[in-house]
Amino acid sequence: MRTPFERTALEHGAVVWRVCRGLLPQHDAEDAWSETFLAALGAWERLDPAADVRAWLITIAHRKAIDVLRVRARTAIPTDEPPERESPLGRPGSRDLDLWNALAALPSKQRVAVVHHHLGGLPFAEVARLTGTTETAARKAASDGVGRLRTLLEEDR
Amino acid sequence: MTIPALDTPAVDPGLLERLHARLEAGATGDAAPDVHYRTVDSPLGPLLVAATERGVLRVAFAREGQDAVLDALAERVGPRVLRTPGRLDPVARWLDRYFAGSTDPFAQPLDLRLARGFRLAVLERLRGVPYGTTVSYGTLAAAVEHPKAVRAVGTACATNPLPLLIPCHRVVRSDGTIGAYLGGTAAKERLLALESARGAIRQDPGA
């Protein structure tokens, strides 16, 4: 890539944040976001100018998030999903926090599929490639996840 | 691409700024960008200031177009171009002081890789033209031992990658008119007026 990193990569700062935050609690998401862009900065020159920068960044963010979750799994009592520490009860009136909490309550496969497809905007083929599954399975996981999210968010209102 | 019946969550700009600051702080050593940059507000409009790890590389006026300047730096120096306001604070402070009337020359390291050969020689010479003085294109040509290269000196000034820090605004025509300037003639007049307010502009015989 020959274009300035700041303009071409950081324009995706918000979407990468949503992906990191969709997969991780606030504090870990901040670490993952910074590590994603640091790694991207280092690899920028080698990136094919024809590449889809957003998809590339989300791929890096995905790996960083998996790394964080692995460390957590090794250092904490293994649970399927770490609880959201900052507000276990949710904050009334904060719909974003409701969404993050609801995402954290999904089974891992559904959470990842919903985040990458609906928040990251990745096509299911890409989601499947990232998660090592088939396109059909990724589509089903996202669909099941959205259904479950709706229920969780309705219960909350 | 949002979850049906759900808005894409808005991202607080303050959070993104904070995350960006962490990125800036982490991008050092082997991870340092090819080019750092920031903008600095000035009486001549916003100035783009860019630097490498070696020193200040480029100062650009708004009329040059920030995107065009950054594109050129990415092409010429390297595409790992990152906005790092904090690390360019010393340059911003010098510019603020200059526009407030300080006569101190710019003493921080420069990266002159954007100039070569004759143009570089002209710029090196130009660095020695003191505050509040002017020199003609002809005098400067003679000073770099090419007395007939007046036009080439004009080109060297017009392509100065570091206006203000290397004072090409102090080069005027021998007939007394002020000549062209990267930032526009009005900007050059303004700079010469600023410097003359601190004492009459005088011809610098030594340059």
Side-chain angles (χ1 to χ4, degrees):
Chain A
M1 200 59 88
R2 293 302 300 170
T3 54
F5 181 79
E6 179 73 36
R7 192 169 65 235
T8 321
L10 269 304
E11 73 167 314
H12 303 293
V15 68
V16 171
W17 169 252
R18 288 186 199 105
V19 168
C20 291
R21 185 64 183 87
L23 298 175
L24 298 166
Q26 178 81 23
H27 181 77
D28 291 335
E30 293 187 15
D31 290 347
W33 189 97
S34 307
E35 285 169 24
T36 296
F37 278 97
L38 259 184
L41 179 66
W44 187 240
E45 201 161 1
R46 298 189 297 279
L47 180 65
D48 181 348
D52 177 340
V53 174
R54 185 181 59 174
W56 179 69
L57 288 168
I58 291 173
T59 303
I60 301 174
H62 176 81
R63 296 206 186 104
K64 296 293 176 192
I66 298 292
D67 288 348
V68 172
L69 289 174
R70 274 202 198 111
V71 172
R72 284 278 172 280
R74 272 202 302 273
T75 55
I77 303 156
T79 58
D80 207 31
E81 287 301 315
E84 298 289 53
R85 296 274 165 80
E86 67 268 31
S87 177
L89 300 174
R91 203 189 301 153
S94 173
R95 294 186 60 195
D96 290 350
L97 203 54
D98 291 346
L99 173 63
W100 305 136
N101 282 331
L103 278 168
L106 294 184
S108 180
K109 277 179 190 160
Q110 293 180 13
R111 183 184 193 178
V112 171
V114 169
V115 166
H116 286 326
H117 182 71
H118 291 285
L119 296 182
L122 291 187
F124 286 117
E126 279 288 299
V127 179
R129 191 182 55 78
L130 267 187
T131 53
T133 177
T134 64
E135 191 174 334
T136 312
R139 191 182 296 273
K140 175 156 193 334
S143 163
D144 291 349
V146 167
R148 178 98 184 97
L149 266 187
R150 283 221 186 91
T151 311
L152 287 166
L153 291 167
E154 278 309 310
E155 280 169 4
D156 223 39
R157 296 227 164 109
Chain B
M1 291 291 219
T2 57
I3 298 168
L6 270 181
D7 300 325
T8 302
V11 180
D12 173 18
L15 170 70
L16 283 180
E17 271 304 304
R18 191 154 52 82
L19 292 170
H20 196 288
R22 282 186 59 173
L23 173 61
E24 291 162 44
T28 55
D30 288 344
D34 300 316
V35 177
H36 302 268
Y37 79 93
R38 67 171 286 170
T39 52
V40 178
D41 288 327
S42 86
L44 304 181
L47 300 169
L48 176 79
V49 177
T52 64
E53 297 289 297
R54 291 188 218 166
V56 189
L57 176 74
R58 185 79 165 87
V59 172
F61 295 99
R63 58 190 273 162
E64 297 176 73
Q66 175 166 318
D67 282 352
V69 171
L70 291 178
D71 282 340
L73 292 179
E75 199 57 54
R76 189 96 183 256
V77 179
R80 298 179 316 131
V81 176
L82 191 67
R83 187 169 57 81
T84 59
R87 269 197 258 174
L88 291 167
D89 267 347
V91 189
R93 277 199 299 273
W94 183 87
L95 286 166
D96 286 345
R97 285 201 307 271
Y98 172 77
F99 284 111
S102 163
T103 63
D104 297 340
F106 187 78
Q108 298 163 41
L110 298 180
D111 183 340
L112 286 165
R113 75 174 85 183
L114 297 177
R116 293 216 172 98
F118 181 74
R119 291 181 191 178
L120 179 59
V122 171
L123 295 180
E124 293 282 13
R125 194 76 199 192
L126 203 43
R127 289 174 82 175
V129 177
Y131 189 97
T133 64
T134 60
V135 60
S136 72
Y137 292 101
T139 308
L140 200 54
V144 291
E145 287 158 17
H146 284 81
K148 291 194 175 141
V150 178
R151 196 172 275 273
V153 167
T155 304
C157 292
T159 56
N160 176 10
L162 290 154
L164 302 168
L165 309 190
I166 296 179
C168 58
H169 59 277
R170 292 175 195 151
V171 187
V172 296
R173 294 167 56 145
S174 49
D175 64 6
T177 57
I178 69 166
Y181 188 56
L182 265 172
T185 312
K188 188 168 184 176
E189 276 168 0
R190 191 163 179 166
L191 292 172
L192 292 175
L194 167 74
E195 296 194 3
S196 69
R198 312 277 309 176
I201 290 266
R202 54 190 193 280
Q203 293 282 326
D204 175 30

